[in-house]
Amino acid sequence: MSLNDSGYKNQQFNQRYQKMYEQVKPKPPLVQNLVGAFVVGGLICTVGQVFQNYFLAMNLSVKSASAMTTAVMIFLGALFTGLGVYDELGRRAGAGSTVPITGFANSIVAPAMEFKREGYVLGVGAKLFVIAGPVIVYGLLTSVVTGFIYWLIH
Amino acid sequence: MNKKRGQQSIIFKVPPTLSAAAAIAGPKEGEGLLGNYFDKVMEDNLGGQDSWEKCESYMMEVAITAAVKKTGLLMMDIDFILAGDLLNQLIATNFAMRSLERPFLGLYGACSTMAESMIIGAMMLDGGFATNIVAAVSSHHDAAERQYRFPTELGAQRPLGAQWTVTASGAVVMTQGNNGPKVTAATIGKIVDPGMKDTNAMGPAMAPAAANTMWQHFQDTGRSPDYYDMIYTGDLGSVGKELVIRLIKDKGSDVSSNYEDCGCMIYRESQDAHAGASGCASSAAALCAYLYPQLAAGYLKKILFIGTGSLHSPTSYQQKESIPCVAHAVAIEI
């Protein structure tokens, strides 16, 4: 491989270099990541279930108990983000802590904390949904499309 | 006689001296491999300031002031300051310069800025345009992270090839005359873009630029890799370093025994920085805190210091552009 060929848009060099890179690229520790995601994700869901059972035992309806559980889990996600623990958790657990609703809380509280220095309007206000925004946008879009299909079928 | 050699290099006629260097770092760097070598280690990532950006400016002020103090000069003896950082519009540097009140040129070469500043500074000194020059850079992990990636408290998992932006600032004072390590030659790099788009793999994106400049330096100056005790690149990390060795091997040369990357010299394995350090201050911290004292004491006699920069922005990345990279080499000898 000639280095002198490593100019802009030199496809030959780029392809050969990409191959060289694939050889030395560190492989993600799949087993470790999967176990981390499974254990942490499972623990978060267990905590949620404990609260749900507690609210059900207080004679709340299933619907109300679910809503209360969601609120508690969002609070916990926000609390542990504020304490600076959630990013440490996410580093090890990956999707295990991103996918549950606590991860959603983290994705909103993290920018809120970060951009407070830019003020409450242009900082917190404008950047609050910088991570969660796309999820909400495409979540809404998907539910509209799904609703439309449902309406067509029935 | 013309001082330019070959296609991209310069041989200095009156090699400028590096008369002092200083570096300040954050707590994570303080716990790292170079922890004992920094002039100052901050207790937290704010350094007593109320934002990360202000902290970065503060670090640069401290590094420059400390380096100038070591030479016995006064700040007003410094003719020009050449400095830069990673933040948009160079705010860390520009704001640091408010209190120093010296003539100043802001430079942006991303993480190659230390080498860039030193090359331009050396040219100004050899050209007789100045007597004392300061070259300095800074970077801050949290300030860089929020500009380039995600909010710092977001629970995202970093891939193993990712690098950790160094929180530190380093400054060198360059002087005409005096004894000490001298900048004897330099090679200015071309932009090399191997078409990589993953900003979590910046070391591999920059490796061809580093290898290109290194190779061109040998061609232009007629020096071979063994001419140097050690060759250092700025912030390629462990993956980029391996790629440079392979690229140079393909050219029929071997640097595996006397080549190291500054990004592999900052953090310990246990600090979870993954592939190593990055940022302007990766090369600057290694140079100012460790390599300079080694050179001044004579433990190292000839080094080639190659600053490496990936010149993308969050906008270019979002628009799916590949990462253009550059590397500049500075030969320092005693």
Side-chain angles (χ1 to χ4, degrees):
Chain A
M1 173 162 17
S2 169
L3 268 174
N4 297 342
D5 304 338
S6 58
Y8 177 56
K9 284 190 175 163
N10 184 326
Q11 295 300 336
Q12 264 190 327
F13 174 85
N14 292 0
Q15 279 169 13
R16 272 177 302 176
Y17 183 65
Q18 191 66 38
K19 271 189 200 141
M20 191 189 264
Y21 170 52
E22 297 298 336
Q23 286 171 9
V24 295
K25 189 179 177 177
K27 305 274 175 293
L30 263 186
V31 175
Q32 191 189 321
N33 285 352
L34 288 172
V35 170
F38 181 80
V39 171
V40 174
L43 277 176
I44 293 174
C45 294
T46 310
V47 172
Q49 193 60 48
V50 168
F51 279 106
Q52 175 125 1
N53 288 0
Y54 172 72
F55 291 127
L56 285 172
M58 285 173 73
N59 283 329
L60 286 174
S61 67
V62 176
K63 214 172 175 183
S64 308
S66 300
M68 287 291 281
T69 309
T70 308
V72 169
M73 294 312 281
I74 288 176
F75 168 77
L76 289 178
L79 178 71
F80 285 108
T81 304
L83 293 174
V85 177
Y86 211 86
D87 60 324
E88 294 292 323
L89 195 66
R91 202 157 54 90
R92 292 177 179 85
S97 61
T98 313
V99 175
I101 200 154
T102 45
F104 189 74
N106 169 251
S107 75
I108 293 178
V109 176
M113 288 167 65
E114 183 112 354
F115 291 98
K116 208 177 140 216
R117 289 177 191 128
E118 279 79 5
Y120 284 102
V121 177
L122 295 177
V124 176
K127 300 284 173 92
L128 197 57
F129 292 99
V130 73
I131 308 290
V135 181
I136 296 173
V137 168
Y138 291 106
L140 278 174
L141 191 69
T142 313
S143 22
V144 168
V145 171
T146 315
F148 185 69
I149 294 170
Y150 184 82
W151 176 75
L152 278 182
I153 293 171
H154 292 270
Chain B
M1 194 174 70
N2 199 328
K3 294 166 193 167
K4 193 178 165 205
R5 281 291 178 290
Q7 290 179 29
Q8 292 169 234
S9 301
I10 298 154
I11 302 278
F12 294 103
K13 203 172 180 183
V14 187
T17 309
L18 303 180
S19 44
I24 169 174
K28 187 173 171 117
E29 292 69 23
E31 287 165 14
L33 297 168
L34 298 181
N36 296 330
Y37 296 92
F38 293 113
D39 294 75
K40 184 175 176 180
V41 175
M42 297 185 298
E43 278 175 23
D44 58 27
N45 266 358
L46 281 170
Q49 309 298 307
D50 51 19
S51 77
W52 295 320
E53 289 77 8
K54 280 187 192 171
C55 172
E56 191 174 336
S57 293
Y58 158 79
M59 287 194 300
M60 187 180 273
E61 262 187 80
V62 170
I64 293 178
T65 314
V68 171
K69 199 176 172 189
K70 282 184 191 175
T71 60
L73 294 167
L74 297 173
M75 192 56 75
M76 56 185 289
D77 297 323
I78 302 300
D79 298 308
F80 305 105
I81 296 178
L82 309 172
D85 63 271
L86 281 178
L87 301 184
N88 291 341
Q89 286 79 40
L90 288 189
I91 50 169
T93 307
N94 293 338
F95 285 43
M97 293 305 141
R98 289 193 296 202
S99 60
L100 298 179
E101 297 186 321
R102 297 317 301 153
F104 148 71
L105 294 172
L107 300 170
Y108 187 80
C111 311
S112 70
T113 310
M114 193 66 192
E116 184 184 6
S117 312
M118 287 171 66
I119 293 172
I120 297 174
M123 287 161 125
M124 290 169 92
L125 289 166
D126 191 22
F129 298 102
T131 317
N132 301 303
I133 278 184
V134 168
V137 299
S138 64
S139 60
H140 191 295
H141 172 78
D142 299 319
E145 205 64 18
R146 79 197 297 239
Q147 176 179 307
Y148 284 99
R149 295 183 192 94
F150 296 124
T152 50
E153 293 297 334
L154 188 75
Q157 202 166 34
R158 297 165 65 247
L160 279 187
Q163 292 166 252
W164 191 272
T165 308
V166 173
T167 301
S169 176
V172 289
V173 181
M174 303 169 75
T175 312
Q176 197 54 282
N178 282 354
N179 292 324
K182 290 184 178 3
V183 177
T184 54
T187 302
I188 298 176
K190 293 188 286 198
I191 300 269
V192 176
D193 184 342
M196 301 186 71
K197 294 181 178 176
D198 181 4
T199 52
N200 275 315
M202 295 206 292
M206 293 188 286
N212 199 305
T213 299
M214 194 192 290
W215 185 253
Q216 194 61 48
H217 178 81
F218 298 143
Q219 303 303 306
D220 290 347
T221 58
R223 295 171 181 179
S224 67
D226 351 319
Y227 177 88
Y228 294 102
D229 295 338
M230 279 303 283
I231 298 168
Y232 294 95
T233 49
D235 60 342
L236 300 181
S238 53
V239 186
K241 176 182 147 187
E242 177 59 32
L243 286 164
V244 165
I245 293 173
R246 289 181 180 217
L247 285 167
I248 293 291
K249 200 171 222 161
D250 280 352
K251 293 294 280 181
S253 220
D254 185 18
V255 290
S256 56
S257 59
N258 64 337
Y259 161 59
E260 183 54 90
D261 181 70
C262 297
C264 300
M265 296 164 60
I266 312 277
Y267 300 114
R268 295 172 201 278
E269 194 86 358
S270 58
Q271 287 183 296
D272 238 356
H274 295 332
S278 70
C280 295
S282 170
S283 61
L287 178 75
C288 299
Y290 182 70
L291 300 179
Y292 179 80
Q294 297 287 311
L295 283 159
Y299 296 127
L300 282 170
K301 293 199 162 48
K302 290 171 178 162
I303 68 163
L304 187 64
F305 173 73
I306 305 176
T308 44
S310 60
L311 305 169
H312 68 291
S313 83
T315 308
S316 73
Y317 166 66
Q318 283 165 3
Q319 293 179 353
K320 312 277 187 293
E321 290 281 346
S322 55
I323 305 171
C325 299
V326 77
H328 306 299
V330 185
I332 307 171
E333 301 176 56
I334 188 155

